[in-house]
Amino acid sequence: WQSRGVVLGSNNLSSNGEGIRVDGSTNVTLSRNYVSSNTYNGVHFVGSSDSVTRENDITSNGDGPSVNGAGIRLDSSARILVYHNNLLGNAVQAVDDGGSGNLWDGGYPTGGNRWSDYSGQDLCSGPGQDVCPDPDGIGDVVYVVDPDTRDRYPLMGLYVPTNAPPTAAFDLFPSSGIVTTVFTADASASWDLEDAAEMLQVRWDW
């Protein structure tokens, strides 16, 4: 809520009212989360902007008592990029009241999202999906989220992310000194999407 520069990754968010709610925030990245069986929305952006939702499994959300639940819901939000997610069996796959202000794919050849209710074929390739016959793993027909929202490059199969490298972050104390100064290096702020911090190995090479 009202946050900036947040990364939420590799969490299991299941059987809640809402899986993830981002409210009044900017520069938020949701990545590699498993969001399942939440009674309202799986992922819900409200009044937020300049954020990314990618490489998440968003499954079987919105089956609760509310009629407004969805896998991903964007309300009054702008410049939200949504791609490489697997949206499977949600009551409503997605809702976006921002229209063209948000993007539901990463362009070509990056591609968009996997939608379990997509019925298109993959016979062609290219930015216009008009190089035929030449299947490329991307559907030839856009996926319609709503009348003014499209995933131009829906994926034909599940998106399986590659193993991302860890992010190294360290602090040095003190920040300056002379040849006899004893410095302390702290790498506890380092993180990785796939592995817990305590499983990472840190090596210093001066």
Side-chain angles (χ1 to χ4, degrees):
W1 180 67
Q2 294 187 358
S3 301
R4 179 188 302 266
V6 174
V7 176
L8 181 69
S10 299
N11 298 281
N12 186 335
L13 302 128
S14 301
S15 302
N16 304 289
E18 291 195 295
I20 304 171
R21 181 180 172 112
V22 180
D23 203 326
S25 301
T26 61
N27 191 21
V28 174
T29 298
L30 309 179
S31 182
R32 303 194 183 192
N33 298 289
Y34 180 73
V35 186
S36 174
S37 303
N38 298 288
T39 56
Y40 187 33
N41 297 299
V43 174
H44 192 185
F45 281 86
V46 182
S48 299
S49 64
D50 303 295
S51 298
V52 178
T53 298
R54 67 173 184 238
E55 301 178 354
N56 301 284
D57 287 333
I58 302 170
T59 304
S60 301
N61 298 284
D63 287 329
S66 171
V67 297
N68 297 318
I72 299 177
R73 186 181 191 91
L74 307 183
D75 285 330
S76 302
S77 297
R79 299 179 301 281
I80 308 296
L81 174 59
V82 181
Y83 73 106
H84 286 179
N85 301 284
N86 296 314
L87 289 111
L88 311 175
N90 299 286
V92 175
Q93 296 283 47
V95 175
D96 181 2
D97 69 0
S100 60
N102 300 307
L103 288 175
W104 288 80
D105 61 71
Y108 189 85
T110 299
N113 305 279
R114 172 59 180 159
W115 308 87
S116 59
D117 56 344
Y118 180 69
S119 58
Q121 293 182 311
D122 176 24
L123 302 175
C124 306
S125 66
Q129 292 294 293
D130 53 4
V131 179
C132 309
D134 185 26
D136 58 356
I138 292 174
D140 299 332
V141 179
V142 301
Y143 179 86
V144 177
V145 176
D146 60 39
D148 61 357
T149 307
R150 305 281 191 273
D151 180 345
R152 299 170 297 170
Y153 302 109
L155 304 179
M156 295 302 295
L158 293 176
Y159 180 79
V160 180
T162 57
N163 194 321
T167 298
F170 67 93
D171 294 308
L172 192 65
F173 307 100
S175 59
S176 63
I178 61 175
V179 293
T180 58
T181 302
V182 176
F183 292 93
T184 299
D186 179 5
S188 62
S190 300
W191 58 278
D192 184 72
L193 278 173
E194 292 85 12
D195 301 304
E198 58 268 21
M199 297 178 65
L200 301 179
Q201 291 185 343
V202 177
R203 183 185 71 188
W204 304 104
D205 185 350
W206 305 112

